[in-house]
Amino acid sequence: MRCLTYLLLLPETLKKSKKVGKLPGRLPVCYEILTLSLTSKKKQQQQQQQQRKEKMAAELYPAANTNNTNLSNGTTVADTEKTKEVQVSQASSSSAATTPTTQQNINNNNVDPPSWQCSHPTLRERYMYSDEIDLEADTVLATLYAAKKYIVPALAKACVNFLETSLEAKNACVLLSQSRLFEEPELTQRCWEVIDAQAELSLGSEGFCEIDLQTLEIILRRETLNTKEVVVFEAVMSWAAAECKRQGLGPTTRNKRDVLGKALFLVRIPTMSLEEFANGAAQCDILTLEETHNVFLWYTAAKKPELDFPLTARKGLVPQRCHRFQSSAYRSNQWRYRGRCDSIQFAVDKRIFIAGLGLYGSSGGKAEYSVKIELKRQGVTLAQNLTKFVSDGSSSTFPVWFEHPVQVEQDAFYTVSAVLDGNELSYFGQEGMTEVQCGKVTFQFQCSSDSTNGTGVQGGQIPELVFYA
């Protein structure tokens, strides 16, 4: 309230000062003190919410620690430099204290000075040597930190775009942590898309073991992680061992429980199968004997004990299917295989994750097929799997899956192929479409030179692409 009172009295003080003469060189100082007081009050309101962000920034950029006093008080990277911006403004105001514009702003109670960045929008105008930005994977996070610190939005945007294009399962969890630190919601959302769709790869990466405890807890609360809970449990154990090492502790059971804290009880242990629990969590000694005993009773007893772990399975992701044929048919001499390749090319207008293919099965009753499926881009194999499926004699499609969903970028053609082996004739598609709208994703199809069994845009096999978006 004192700051506000002084602010309201300021115009009256100025009026009195005009009667006795000018205040040479001291008016801007008074003005800046008021501004700093208001800024300090705002920072105090944000202190508890932002303390973790400084800790993470200090660990990432120790060389900048001496300049991070404000971050330790709980401000974001951008907030830290607001005070510095005031200081810059103060220095500028000192040299122009008596200009008409400055005097007019003060007389009009316009106590917030225009940001110097607003009047200098390009990098070249801000103490920067050129508008050419050359980013590298090893330095982009440090560059983003500097861009946020010195409030250079064009450079910050370029860094975020670079991170989005380089985002993949192995770095998604680390970038999730950083995107939260730097308050970049679009990058955060992109990280979640990768982590959800490629959860097993993301949680099994080295980057997952480098995240902070709060980010770990946020991931463990995620309903849409598309993986088995035993994978989540194993990832948590790896993180606990890495955290013990960071804290200089031995990787004992007690230390792992201590560093995990309540995060251990975010793992949905009861949603594992009994076999997964017995061969994994029950034998790793992270649980107490009582906890292990109660979980076994929960699996087997009619009267189930209360558990401290969540009981409901994660929802995961619902796969979507892009169907490219308008009808299907079968004939007495089609569709044969004998080890030949059915293939088609496709492109999409937004990033997706290909999880598998839908294939036609036998037209003559129940039959089993062996199949090798493959996904390539510009001749480079991105994923393949050798598996089997059983068809029931209907014209339905039958899914076959890649081991992990594969990230597919927009506006680039990919090739999917299937080599089936089976004695029975199968159904085949007809009236194929070159463009298919599936939810928010548009697919385009074209013929593939890899196809040696007759499949093309108009007809053949591979009626469906199974994906997450």
Side-chain angles (χ1 to χ4, degrees):
M1 286 298 297
R2 293 184 64 188
C3 293
L4 181 59
T5 301
Y6 291 154
L7 182 62
L8 293 175
L9 291 175
L10 183 59
E12 186 64 27
T13 303
L14 290 175
K15 291 179 181 178
K16 293 180 179 179
S17 68
K18 290 181 179 179
K19 297 179 181 180
V20 297
K22 295 183 181 179
L23 300 176
R26 299 187 59 83
L27 179 60
V29 176
C30 176
Y31 165 72
E32 291 300 333
I33 290 175
L34 294 175
T35 305
L36 285 172
S37 298
L38 292 174
T39 304
S40 176
K41 181 177 180 181
K42 181 178 179 181
K43 288 192 293 182
Q44 290 176 357
Q45 293 173 344
Q46 297 176 337
Q47 183 173 5
Q48 292 183 346
Q49 180 182 2
Q50 302 297 342
Q51 281 182 338
R52 183 188 64 80
K53 298 181 179 181
E54 157 56 8
K55 180 180 178 181
M56 294 173 62
E59 292 175 352
L60 276 172
Y61 315 108
N65 265 357
T66 55
N67 295 325
N68 284 347
T69 304
N70 287 336
L71 280 176
S72 64
N73 291 329
T75 59
T76 63
V77 173
D79 290 335
T80 306
E81 294 311 311
K82 288 181 180 178
T83 304
K84 289 191 176 182
E85 181 182 335
V86 171
Q87 295 172 352
V88 173
S89 178
Q90 178 179 353
S92 300
S93 300
S94 297
S95 62
T98 59
T99 62
T101 302
T102 303
Q103 188 66 47
Q104 182 178 358
N105 285 340
I106 296 175
N107 289 338
N108 292 335
N109 291 340
N110 183 14
V111 298
D112 286 333
S115 170
W116 66 274
Q117 288 91 346
C118 295
S119 60
H120 301 280
T122 67
L123 298 179
R124 189 182 300 277
E125 292 176 299
R126 300 185 184 185
Y127 56 75
M128 296 291 180
Y129 294 110
S130 72
D131 278 329
E132 298 178 1
I133 304 174
D134 185 15
L135 297 173
E136 297 180 359
D138 294 339
T139 58
V140 64
L141 285 175
T143 305
L144 177 59
Y145 174 79
K148 288 282 187 175
K149 180 175 181 179
Y150 296 106
I151 318 177
V152 189
L155 180 57
K157 181 64 175 176
C159 292
V160 171
N161 290 340
F162 181 91
L163 291 171
E164 286 186 356
T165 58
S166 61
L167 178 62
E168 52 186 331
K170 67 181 182 181
N171 62 14
C173 294
V174 171
L175 292 183
L176 174 68
S177 177
Q178 298 303 313
S179 68
R180 294 177 59 249
L181 169 67
F182 293 124
E183 297 182 324
E184 290 290 344
E186 292 183 7
L187 180 58
T188 298
Q189 179 57 34
R190 279 288 301 117
C191 291
W192 279 127
E193 291 173 6
V194 175
I195 293 170
D196 283 341
Q198 297 181 306
E200 185 170 350
L201 294 175
S202 298
L203 271 58
S205 67
E206 293 182 4
F208 177 79
C209 295
E210 299 173 5
I211 61 177
D212 60 286
L213 179 60
Q214 186 176 358
T215 302
L216 173 69
E217 293 175 353
I218 291 173
I219 292 175
L220 294 182
R221 290 189 179 97
R222 188 78 172 174
E223 282 288 335
T224 45
L225 291 180
N226 200 46
T227 189
K228 294 182 177 181
E229 200 64 23
V230 66
V231 173
V232 177
F233 177 81
E234 291 171 353
V236 169
M237 293 300 98
S238 297
W239 183 92
E243 182 65 14
C244 285
K245 184 176 181 180
R246 281 190 290 270
Q247 296 188 20
L249 303 172
T252 64
T253 298
R254 176 63 181 272
N255 288 339
K256 288 180 180 179
R257 281 187 71 110
D258 286 345
V259 299
L260 282 170
K262 64 181 180 180
L264 175 62
F265 299 96
L266 297 176
V267 182
R268 307 185 185 192
I269 289 178
T271 67
M272 301 179 189
S273 68
L274 176 58
E275 181 180 4
E276 288 171 340
F277 174 72
N279 293 329
Q283 297 189 38
C284 74
D285 297 329
I286 194 67
L287 305 182
T288 65
L289 289 176
E290 182 181 3
E291 289 167 345
T292 302
H293 178 261
N294 286 343
V295 173
F296 272 121
L297 287 180
W298 192 90
Y299 282 117
T300 57
K303 185 179 180 181
K304 301 183 183 300
E306 292 187 2
L307 299 178
D308 294 326
F309 301 95
L311 304 179
T312 56
R314 302 179 194 273
K315 296 178 181 178
L317 296 177
V318 178
Q320 301 181 52
R321 296 169 182 253
C322 174
H323 197 91
R324 67 187 189 92
F325 295 127
Q326 300 182 68
S327 64
S328 62
Y330 71 91
R331 299 193 181 111
S332 59
N333 62 342
Q334 292 179 317
W335 197 264
R336 297 183 183 275
Y337 297 105
R338 298 174 183 173
R340 290 178 295 211
C341 180
D342 290 287
S343 183
I344 193 72
Q345 288 191 330
F346 73 95
V348 290
D349 64 345
K350 66 173 296 185
R351 185 184 289 108
I352 64 170
F353 299 86
I354 291 292
L357 309 178
L359 301 176
Y360 287 122
S362 170
S363 58
K366 184 177 180 179
E368 181 180 80
Y369 291 88
S370 296
V371 57
K372 178 183 178 181
I373 58 174
E374 190 173 50
L375 174 66
K376 296 191 297 185
R377 179 181 179 182
Q378 296 179 344
V380 177
T381 299
L382 304 178
Q384 61 181 10
N385 194 24
L386 181 61
T387 185
K388 295 181 179 181
F389 73 95
V390 176
S391 63
D392 58 9
S394 70
S395 60
S396 302
T397 60
F398 301 90
V400 290
W401 306 92
F402 292 110
E403 185 177 1
H404 303 289
V406 184
Q407 184 168 295
V408 167
E409 301 296 337
Q410 65 186 43
D411 302 327
F413 273 96
Y414 292 76
T415 302
V416 288
S417 59
V419 179
L420 284 82
D421 185 13
N423 294 325
E424 298 292 336
L425 297 173
S426 79
Y427 288 88
F428 60 92
Q430 55 187 11
E431 298 181 279
M433 297 173 283
T434 58
E435 184 173 299
V436 179
Q437 185 72 33
C438 190
K440 297 181 179 181
V441 184
T442 301
F443 288 79
Q444 291 184 332
F445 294 96
Q446 67 182 24
C447 294
S448 168
S449 59
D450 293 345
S451 188
T452 58
N453 200 41
T455 289
V457 173
Q458 297 300 318
Q461 258 285 12
I462 316 181
E464 288 180 339
L465 300 181
V466 185
F467 69 99
Y468 301 114

